[in-house]
Amino acid sequence: MLQHSRSSDSGSIVLTDINKLAEEYLRLSYQAHRTKDLFPASGMTITNAEIKMDFDPTLPLIHVIPQDIGKVILNLCNNAFWACTERNIQVAKLQSHHRESDDDHRATIPAYQPSIVLTTLKTDNGIEIRITDNGSGIPDDIKDKIFQPFFTTKPTGQGTGLGLSLSYDIVKAHGGELMVKSPLAGQEEGEGSEFIVSLPSDL
C-alpha cells in the first residue's frame, strides 16, 4: 500500500527526525503565508500569527518517506493559516459593524490573535504530530467530508480539495491515522481545529 501511494519521484523510506521535519515544513508554510493575500478582497495577511512549537525531545526516529510526511505537515499548516486568516476577517467585519452602530450598549468584540501550535508526542505505538489553530473551525455537518477527494470550502481557484485527501492517503499508507477535532475544547463551533497525525514507530 505504501509503495502504491508514492509517486515515482517521492523518495525512499528512511529513518527520520520528525521534529526537524515538522519545524522545516511549518516554517515553509509560514513564510509562504505571511505576506500572501489569501483573501484578496480583504487585504489581510497572516503576519500577526503567533507560532508555537512544542516538540517532544524523546521522540524516536521513525521510518517514513520524509517528502511525503513533509507534504502532510505542509498541507495541514497551510489549512491552519487559512482558517486563522478567515477568522481574522470574520472578527474584523464584526468589529466594523459594531463601530458603525449607534447602539451605545453594543457588545464589545474581543481582539483576535491568530495562533498555530505544532506539537509532537511520543506514544506507546509510535508518535503523534498535532497541528492546532484557533481559526474558523470546521462545521459539524462537513467533518465527515473533509477527507474526501475534491471537497473544499475554499473559494473557486483557491483550493483543489485534494490536500486533505492526499494527506489522509499518505498517512494511511504509512500505517497511521489522520484525525480532526473541531471545535477545540471549551470553544464553540467555528472556533479552532486540531489535526492529529499518528504514525507507528515501524512500518
Side-chain angles (χ1 to χ4, degrees):
M1 184 177 180
L2 183 60
Q3 296 296 327
H4 178 71
S5 74
R6 293 170 52 190
S7 64
S8 59
D9 298 321
S10 63
S12 302
I13 300 171
V14 297
L15 205 56
T16 303
D17 184 334
I18 295 297
N19 283 342
K20 289 183 178 179
L21 191 74
E23 180 176 359
E24 175 186 354
Y25 280 90
L26 172 61
R27 293 190 186 282
L28 280 174
S29 180
Y30 181 53
Q31 289 301 318
H33 285 81
R34 65 193 303 267
T35 57
K36 185 178 181 180
D37 193 350
L38 299 180
F39 296 82
S42 74
M44 285 191 176
T45 62
I46 200 69
T47 54
N48 64 330
E50 181 179 53
I51 311 297
K52 295 182 181 179
M53 289 177 278
D54 185 9
F55 294 156
D56 186 340
T58 68
L59 207 69
L61 302 181
I62 63 171
H63 285 93
V64 297
I65 301 173
Q67 296 92 330
D68 285 358
I69 297 302
K71 289 176 186 176
V72 172
I73 296 169
L74 185 66
N75 279 329
L76 296 179
C77 288
N78 286 345
N79 284 346
F81 284 119
W82 175 279
C84 286
T85 304
E86 187 175 51
R87 188 173 177 193
N88 213 4
I89 292 169
Q90 293 168 353
V91 170
K93 286 181 178 179
L94 285 173
Q95 290 173 334
S96 177
H97 172 75
H98 284 289
R99 279 197 298 269
E100 295 171 359
S101 172
D102 293 328
D103 184 2
D104 291 334
H105 302 288
R106 61 186 180 274
T108 300
I109 307 299
Y112 171 62
Q113 172 62 59
S115 174
I116 294 172
V117 183
L118 195 157
T119 305
T120 61
L121 297 167
K122 181 181 178 182
T123 65
D124 291 340
N125 300 317
I127 70 160
E128 282 187 355
I129 305 166
R130 293 174 175 252
I131 298 170
T132 310
D133 69 74
N134 66 345
S136 53
I138 303 170
D140 287 336
D141 60 347
I142 67 168
K143 279 183 191 174
D144 60 346
K145 301 176 183 178
I146 62 172
F147 296 120
Q148 296 176 6
F150 304 110
F151 179 82
T152 182
T153 59
K154 296 176 182 177
T156 302
Q158 294 289 335
T160 62
L162 289 174
L164 284 178
S165 174
L166 290 174
S167 295
Y168 185 86
D169 289 345
I170 288 171
V171 173
K172 293 292 284 186
H174 279 77
E177 296 287 341
L178 175 56
M179 299 168 286
V180 63
K181 294 180 180 179
S182 183
L184 300 180
Q187 300 294 319
E188 299 179 357
E189 183 175 321
E191 296 182 3
S193 300
E194 181 176 60
F195 283 85
I196 304 167
V197 178
S198 299
L199 295 170
S201 54
D202 292 299
L203 292 177

